[in-house]
Amino acid sequence: MKLKKAIACVGAAVLLVAVTACGDKGGPAEIDDPKPTSGAAGETAKPKVNMTIMGEFASSNLSETDKLLVQSIEEATNTAIKFDIPPSTGYTERLQLSLTTGDLADVVWFPSPDDASFLKAVKDGVIIPIDEYLNEADNIQNYSYDISWDALRVNGDDKVYGIPRTTVIRSDGYWFRKDWLDKLNIQIPDNNEITFDQMLDIMTKFSKEDPDGNGKHDTYGYGWAAQPDKSIRPVFQNELGLYGWQESDGGEYKYMNPQYDLNSDKYTKALELTAKLFKEGVIDPDGPTLDGSKVLEQFQSGKTGVIDGFAGHYETFLNAGKQINPDFELAYVFVKNEQGEMKGLGQGTGLWGFWAVTSSASDPQRVVDVFDYMLSDEGWDSIYTGIEGHDYKVENNQRVYSATPLETFVRKNMVRRANDFMFFINPAMSEELKQKLLPNIEKAVKRIVMSKDRNYTPAIAKTPPYLDFNKKFSEVTTKIIIGDAQSSEYKEVLQDWNTKFGQTYLKEMNDYIDQMENKK
């Protein structure tokens, strides 16, 4: 299922809120007549099929535009669709309960192919493979990443156990406080690209030269956060060339990740730099105790001058910052690596969760057809731009979009087209703002370097002894960054890991990568 040329994309739920919440009235946009579609759009000759979709969305109630979208899908595919949407805070529990009781929807959303309940359901035959139903699903195949299909082959039988809910694979840049740049007379090039040395210099000035002009030493150059598991990692891994699993420069293994390489100093160099910036007060000392939302708050309130993030958040971030400080302004910047290249690690496998067909589905083919229709030109037009008469009206053969932000809990969260970064641009947005955002979003997509591991986890890494030992990596990393240990201690832990688990881990990972690379 090779990915064909497509213009498609995806993102996180918070991103969708940001995109659809743009209050810009914008100008009228020219109408493009949807192209004729095939496959699911022609299913009306078949008997009507009832199906239930269970998913996690921001609201359990369908908005008006959601209802109209579902109605259009039902008419195009001759189906009757019912949604089962548990409260998002209790979705996992409801999902596990339904899997246990057998009271299953036809199609169910899972957050990750590594989800334990999903893997058990596959083993138990509760989730079925869909390969035979994908034969005519050209849209799903065309607009999904190859790496996503690899991630959904989870049962050792080379079969696919889900429909990707695609997310754009990208490598984001950094948000800068432009008002601070102006205060310190710092110019950013027109292409929004700077060197790593320039980045470090700007961060130092943000920390030391009173960019907010309050006469106090209370600002920091860079805002960062702990990982979801509360561990902390070195900063600026893209700029230091840490691109995950790549072909090695020699040694015992063909593929290597610098984090596990006893013969490389790349990872310890990143730890040393982070420790240096931490000691000098250039990065926020509270970072190890913060989460992502708090990092954004500190940036907007004027404690930090740089954070990483998605270019499409411009309008939302700007408005929130101006509510705190009317002088708040933003710049979006990419930082080249040490070799002067525009490269960044592409995160994930192109999946923002996925849809799994259950053994309860009366017609699995029709389930696949429904999702295929949503990705067709006709279906995608409704998902991206909405429904005529509600999301927009037609005047002089042009679409004029609603000036009021619409709630699109389901419409914007069902499917995405791989690489189509236009999805992040509200069609109601002004042309001026579009031209401000698009080059940065496009650059984040084009500069990616993909890690070859495809998020694969070797079997040994799932064993209790390994999981227990793995805590040592987090412990020593934290100690080094906050100045309680030398970087050499990381190599000592790595050597211990290599003796106890590493050789098996590295062999399993190399065997997997080699197998996947040879399938290309």
Side-chain angles (χ1 to χ4, degrees):
M1 301 176 188
K2 294 296 180 183
L3 175 65
K4 299 178 182 176
K5 294 289 184 181
I7 52 166
C9 100
V10 268
V14 63
L15 168 65
L16 297 173
V17 173
V19 174
T20 58
C22 294
D24 193 332
K25 294 181 182 180
E30 292 186 2
I31 297 177
D32 294 317
D33 292 329
K35 299 176 183 178
T37 58
S38 59
E43 293 291 339
T44 52
K46 295 183 179 181
K48 180 173 286 189
V49 171
N50 297 315
M51 69 178 64
T52 302
I53 299 174
M54 180 180 177
E56 182 179 15
F57 300 98
S59 173
S60 57
N61 297 313
L62 272 64
S63 67
E64 190 60 30
T65 189
D66 290 334
K67 293 175 183 176
L68 292 170
L69 172 70
V70 173
Q71 182 180 333
S72 70
I73 295 170
E74 290 176 327
E75 292 174 354
T77 60
N78 200 24
T79 55
I81 300 172
K82 177 183 177 182
F83 278 86
D84 179 6
I85 307 176
S88 58
T89 55
Y91 182 81
T92 300
E93 290 74 15
R94 267 288 308 278
L95 175 58
Q96 290 176 344
L97 179 62
S98 67
L99 292 171
T100 301
T101 62
D103 184 16
L104 294 163
D106 296 80
V107 59
V108 173
W109 182 81
F110 284 93
S112 167
D114 291 332
D115 185 273
S117 59
F118 165 67
L119 294 174
K120 184 178 185 303
V122 169
K123 294 293 185 185
D124 294 343
V126 174
I127 302 300
I128 65 173
I130 60 171
D131 302 73
E132 64 181 291
Y133 310 114
L134 292 170
N135 291 332
E136 296 182 8
D138 290 344
N139 298 305
I140 294 176
Q141 295 191 43
N142 290 351
Y143 297 119
S144 298
Y145 293 104
D146 291 346
I147 195 173
S148 298
W149 298 115
D150 292 339
L152 290 168
R153 294 184 175 96
V154 296
N155 201 32
D157 54 11
D158 205 35
K159 293 183 178 180
V160 172
Y161 285 87
I163 302 168
R165 184 171 79 167
T166 299
T167 180
V168 67
I169 299 178
R170 63 183 194 269
S171 180
D172 291 326
Y174 298 93
W175 285 112
F176 279 57
R177 287 290 299 261
K178 186 178 184 302
D179 48 320
W180 289 13
L181 292 171
D182 294 342
K183 170 76 174 178
L184 301 177
N185 296 314
I186 300 172
Q187 298 293 319
I188 299 297
D190 291 341
N191 65 0
N192 297 333
E193 297 176 12
I194 62 175
T195 67
F196 189 35
D197 285 341
Q198 288 173 318
M199 172 67 152
L200 296 177
D201 181 61
I202 291 171
M203 288 168 47
T204 301
K205 289 178 178 178
F206 279 178
S207 301
K208 309 297 184 183
E209 298 186 11
D210 191 24
D212 59 357
N214 68 355
K216 300 178 182 179
H217 181 70
D218 58 357
T219 59
Y220 299 94
Y222 183 71
W224 59 310
Q227 299 298 310
D229 63 1
K230 307 303 181 184
S231 65
I232 58 175
R233 297 178 184 175
V235 296
F236 305 124
Q237 296 193 35
N238 283 335
E239 291 72 20
L240 295 174
L242 300 178
Y243 303 130
W245 292 90
Q246 304 296 336
E247 287 196 36
S248 67
D249 297 327
E252 182 179 356
Y253 300 100
K254 183 177 181 180
Y255 305 99
M256 182 55 73
N257 183 333
Q259 187 174 351
Y260 301 114
D261 193 351
L262 283 166
N263 300 314
S264 170
D265 292 326
K266 275 189 175 182
Y267 197 75
T268 50
K269 181 180 178 182
L271 287 170
E272 289 168 358
L273 175 63
T274 306
K276 178 177 182 291
L277 297 174
F278 187 89
K279 181 179 180 180
E280 295 175 351
V282 176
I283 59 178
D284 186 355
D286 293 331
T289 66
L290 303 179
D291 60 22
S293 62
K294 190 64 178 177
V295 170
L296 178 57
E297 289 178 19
Q298 307 245 92
F299 175 73
Q300 292 172 336
S301 65
K303 185 175 182 181
T304 57
V306 181
I307 59 172
D308 62 4
F310 173 59
H313 285 151
Y314 174 80
E315 194 171 39
T316 303
F317 284 5
L318 182 67
N319 292 339
K322 282 188 174 295
Q323 290 179 9
I324 300 171
N325 179 356
D327 295 328
F328 182 92
E329 294 292 343
L330 286 170
Y332 196 75
V333 179
F334 287 94
V335 181
K336 300 174 184 178
N337 65 17
E338 290 185 304
Q339 290 72 43
E341 302 166 319
M342 275 292 297
K343 289 184 178 181
L345 179 63
Q347 300 292 340
T349 57
L351 293 175
W352 182 38
F354 61 96
W355 300 101
V357 181
T358 75
S359 56
S360 295
S362 61
D363 191 339
Q365 182 66 65
R366 197 71 67 88
V367 171
V368 173
D369 290 346
V370 163
F371 282 85
D372 192 68
Y373 170 75
M374 283 189 274
L375 288 167
S376 69
D377 290 340
E378 181 180 292
W380 182 251
D381 181 67
S382 296
I383 284 175
Y384 176 56
T385 63
I387 306 298
E388 182 179 353
H390 182 75
D391 300 270
Y392 66 88
K393 58 184 178 180
V394 177
E395 295 180 353
N396 299 322
N397 201 37
Q398 291 184 318
R399 290 178 178 175
V400 180
Y401 294 95
S402 171
T404 304
L406 301 176
E407 294 178 328
T408 56
F409 307 118
V410 169
R411 198 190 97 204
K412 290 281 191 174
N413 290 273
M414 289 295 293
V415 295
R416 309 291 162 73
R417 284 179 162 190
N419 290 324
D420 187 355
F421 47 83
M422 282 302 296
F423 184 86
F424 294 122
I425 301 299
N426 186 343
M429 188 180 291
S430 69
E431 196 61 32
E432 179 183 4
L433 187 52
K434 285 180 184 178
Q435 295 310 311
K436 189 180 186 73
L437 301 185
L438 275 174
N440 291 326
I441 299 175
E442 184 177 13
K443 189 175 293 186
V445 172
K446 288 185 174 180
R447 78 176 193 140
I448 61 170
V449 177
M450 293 301 299
S451 176
K452 296 182 181 297
D453 67 312
R454 299 167 174 80
N455 277 12
Y456 173 73
T457 302
I460 192 173
K462 301 175 185 178
T463 62
Y466 184 99
L467 294 171
D468 186 57
F469 183 94
N470 208 45
K471 297 174 185 176
K472 293 185 179 181
F473 281 120
S474 297
E475 292 169 0
V476 71
T477 297
T478 299
K479 286 182 178 180
I480 293 169
I481 289 174
I482 66 175
D484 288 345
Q486 298 298 313
S487 61
S488 59
E489 293 188 32
Y490 180 84
K491 281 292 183 72
E492 293 173 8
V493 173
L494 183 59
Q495 180 63 68
D496 193 16
W497 171 84
N498 189 68
T499 301
K500 294 177 178 177
F501 310 100
Q503 295 179 39
T504 301
Y505 182 100
L506 294 171
K507 184 180 185 306
E508 287 186 30
M509 183 63 83
N510 269 260
D511 288 347
Y512 172 79
I513 295 175
D514 206 44
Q515 174 189 353
M516 301 310 296
E517 291 293 300
N518 288 333
K519 288 174 62 176
K520 290 183 177 180

